[in-house]
Amino acid sequence: MAETVHSTTSNGPRNAETNPVARFFRATEIDTRLLGMVGALLIIWIGFQIMTGGLFLTPRNLWNLSVQTSSVAVMATGMVLVIVTRNIDLSVGSMLGFCGMVMGVLQAQVLPQYLGFNSPATWIITLAAGLIVGGSIGMLQGMIIAFLNVPSFIVTLGGLLVWRGATWFVTSGQTVAPMDINFRIMGGGTDGSIGATWSWIVGVIACLAIVASIVNSRRQRRRFGFPRRPLWAEYFLSALGCVLVLGAIAVANNYYWPTNIAKRYAEANGIPWPETGLDIPYGIAVPVLIAVIVGAIMTFIATRLRFGRYVFAIGGNPEAAELAGIKTRWVTIRIFALMGLLCAIAGAISTARLNAATNAQGELDELYTIAAAVIGGTSLAGGTGTIAGAMLGALVMQSLQSGMVLLGIDSPFQRIVVGAVLVVAVWLDTVYRARAK
């Protein structure tokens, strides 16, 4: 016998009056705001593809675009929780720069004296130190906000100046390079990608995870008596997720190593060089893999853990949350400490990608991070936001910047565009919230 399904599209006069499109979105529960962002992203991509004469939607540019998005996407996942609680963090770019400089000095100047250059332990110690520094800075700022009642805008604005100045004092303004060979893997490039075979393996694992997540969600809804999606909607979402994952991997595997690097690799490994050349795919870049893993963990924290529920409860009504017994001050401290950890991870990605720690590292990243979260649907009024939306917002921001670089547009005008997009995003959020009421 067929399973009796209690779906969100139960029979009745209401369904008869709705059009097929509305019934489709109700059945699949697709976020229309997220879908709107996907549509905007496609318009941006197609527009730049036409204006650049077919240069934008190439495997090379899309691969580089994904790598360039990674560090901001990592920080945007934490910015969602910060903004949801009606706070703001203007210091993320400076924290990235300071953590990056600390990690750079450790692996380029301090640790080689004791471990030698390119020791297997260097990158582990360096990354651990960066995470400790980032988490400590975030916790300090969170404590000032929570216990001294200083507005987050002021605290993090001060942090923007303090940690940017501290970055300069670490090396008196000097650039630190090169980085440890193992540490550089986190930045992408020929060594910082996992190749075609492992990319397909990761893709298959991701598809299995998507299907398992949908099946588990259906079981949980059935267990607690919640409405379930129709089976066709579950199949559609599973197929859509797998197609997107495998499509992204196919693009990454169609970007090949430069000829001179591939030739050196072939000579070093005794591989005969064919007349037509040797095509070695990059595959998924390690920083992209890190960003995806961070996004998955942050989504789990925000949607599955008690801490995540507390965050959204505080954002919805701080007074009611405190009266309900939530320790709002400690939640605030944890949020900013988590933001600091994410800045350290982003700093590691950025430093590894540049193969250097510089004083300009992370400048204006606070603008891009906040813009990514807001464009992704996080309301500045607090209470609403999604991790996936913020990461998609980071991709939108980086797509705009990448497209303008390909068109040869000057940096000042790029900043004008980014600022205008941020203002429009906040205005659209205001309009959406007004209509929702």
Side-chain angles (χ1 to χ4, degrees):
M1 294 180 65
E3 180 186 6
T4 302
V5 177
H6 300 283
S7 71
T8 55
T9 56
S10 57
N11 296 326
R14 184 177 180 183
N15 271 350
E17 295 174 1
T18 57
N19 59 55
V21 176
R23 289 201 299 270
F24 172 80
F25 284 119
R26 185 179 296 117
T28 56
E29 299 178 359
I30 295 176
D31 187 349
T32 53
R33 293 187 71 183
L34 197 62
L35 189 63
M37 268 204 311
V38 172
L41 181 63
L42 291 177
I43 292 172
I44 292 170
W45 282 8
I46 294 171
F48 280 130
Q49 175 74 356
I50 295 171
M51 288 186 287
T52 58
L55 295 177
F56 190 85
L57 293 179
T58 58
R60 175 182 180 179
N61 188 62
L62 291 177
W63 192 89
N64 288 325
L65 177 63
S66 66
V67 173
Q68 293 162 0
T69 304
S70 300
S71 60
V72 172
V74 167
M75 292 191 294
T77 62
M79 189 61 73
V80 171
L81 302 187
V82 172
I83 296 178
V84 160
T85 54
R86 306 184 185 186
N87 289 299
I88 199 72
D89 194 338
L90 300 176
S91 66
V92 292
S94 297
M95 279 197 290
L96 182 154
F98 182 68
C99 292
M101 184 60 75
V102 169
M103 288 186 283
V105 169
L106 271 177
Q107 62 188 295
Q109 298 178 359
V110 178
L111 292 179
Q113 300 177 24
Y114 305 98
L115 303 176
F117 286 98
N118 298 325
S119 169
T122 297
W123 77 272
I124 298 175
I125 298 173
T126 298
L127 183 59
L131 292 173
I132 291 172
V133 170
S136 300
I137 292 173
M139 183 177 295
L140 173 63
Q141 294 186 158
M143 292 179 68
I144 295 173
I145 294 166
F147 289 104
L148 300 184
N149 296 319
V150 182
S152 60
F153 180 90
I154 300 300
V155 173
T156 57
L157 178 60
L160 182 151
L161 301 173
V162 169
W163 306 120
R164 181 61 62 190
T167 302
W168 189 91
F169 275 110
V170 171
T171 59
S172 298
Q174 297 178 356
T175 296
V176 178
M179 298 296 101
D180 176 76
I181 189 172
N182 297 307
F183 185 84
R184 289 203 302 266
I185 292 175
M186 290 186 287
T190 53
D191 295 326
S193 52
I194 63 176
T197 302
W198 277 106
S199 294
W200 287 121
I201 292 174
V202 169
V204 171
I205 294 174
C207 289
L208 293 175
I210 290 171
V211 174
S213 175
I214 291 176
V215 170
N216 180 66
S217 175
R218 186 174 183 82
R219 287 177 178 173
Q220 293 296 322
R221 291 185 179 205
R222 182 179 181 180
R223 176 184 176 187
F224 295 104
F226 292 158
R228 283 167 282 158
R229 289 184 291 250
L231 283 174
W232 68 263
E234 307 280 21
Y235 293 141
F236 171 79
L237 293 173
S238 299
L240 179 62
C242 292
V243 166
L244 291 176
V245 168
L246 297 179
I249 291 172
V251 171
N253 285 340
N254 274 309
Y255 178 38
Y256 304 107
W257 289 13
T259 303
N260 57 341
I261 296 178
K263 186 174 290 187
R264 287 200 300 267
Y265 176 82
E267 292 174 354
N269 291 274
I271 301 173
W273 184 259
E275 294 182 1
T276 56
L278 190 64
D279 291 333
I280 304 178
Y282 276 90
I284 303 174
V286 171
V288 176
L289 207 56
I290 293 173
V292 171
I293 293 172
V294 168
I297 293 173
M298 291 297 292
T299 299
F300 180 80
I301 290 173
T303 60
R304 298 291 183 180
L305 296 185
R306 184 183 300 175
F307 171 74
R309 292 195 294 271
Y310 287 172
V311 169
F312 283 89
I314 292 172
N317 192 324
E319 293 79 12
E322 193 160 2
L323 290 173
I326 297 175
K327 298 179 180 179
T328 56
R329 292 182 175 180
W330 285 108
V331 171
T332 300
I333 292 172
R334 290 171 186 171
I335 291 171
F336 279 92
L338 182 59
M339 186 73 251
L341 289 173
L342 294 172
C343 288
I345 295 173
I349 293 173
S350 177
T351 305
R353 184 164 65 88
L354 294 173
N355 193 24
T358 69
N359 290 281
Q361 205 170 332
E363 282 189 355
L364 291 183
D365 273 10
E366 53 276 343
L367 168 62
Y368 292 107
T369 304
I370 294 170
V374 174
I375 291 173
T378 305
S379 175
L380 290 172
T384 59
T386 62
I387 304 299
M391 299 186 75
L392 187 58
L395 183 58
V396 169
M397 297 299 298
Q398 189 58 50
S399 297
L400 285 171
Q401 189 173 10
S402 177
M404 288 187 288
V405 168
L406 287 177
L407 290 173
I409 296 174
D410 293 335
S411 179
F413 188 76
Q414 293 180 29
R415 296 182 181 184
I416 291 173
V417 172
V418 171
V421 168
L422 178 58
V423 173
V424 171
V426 175
W427 171 70
L428 290 175
D429 174 69
T430 304
V431 172
Y432 179 84
R433 290 177 63 85
R435 289 184 177 180
K437 291 180 180 179

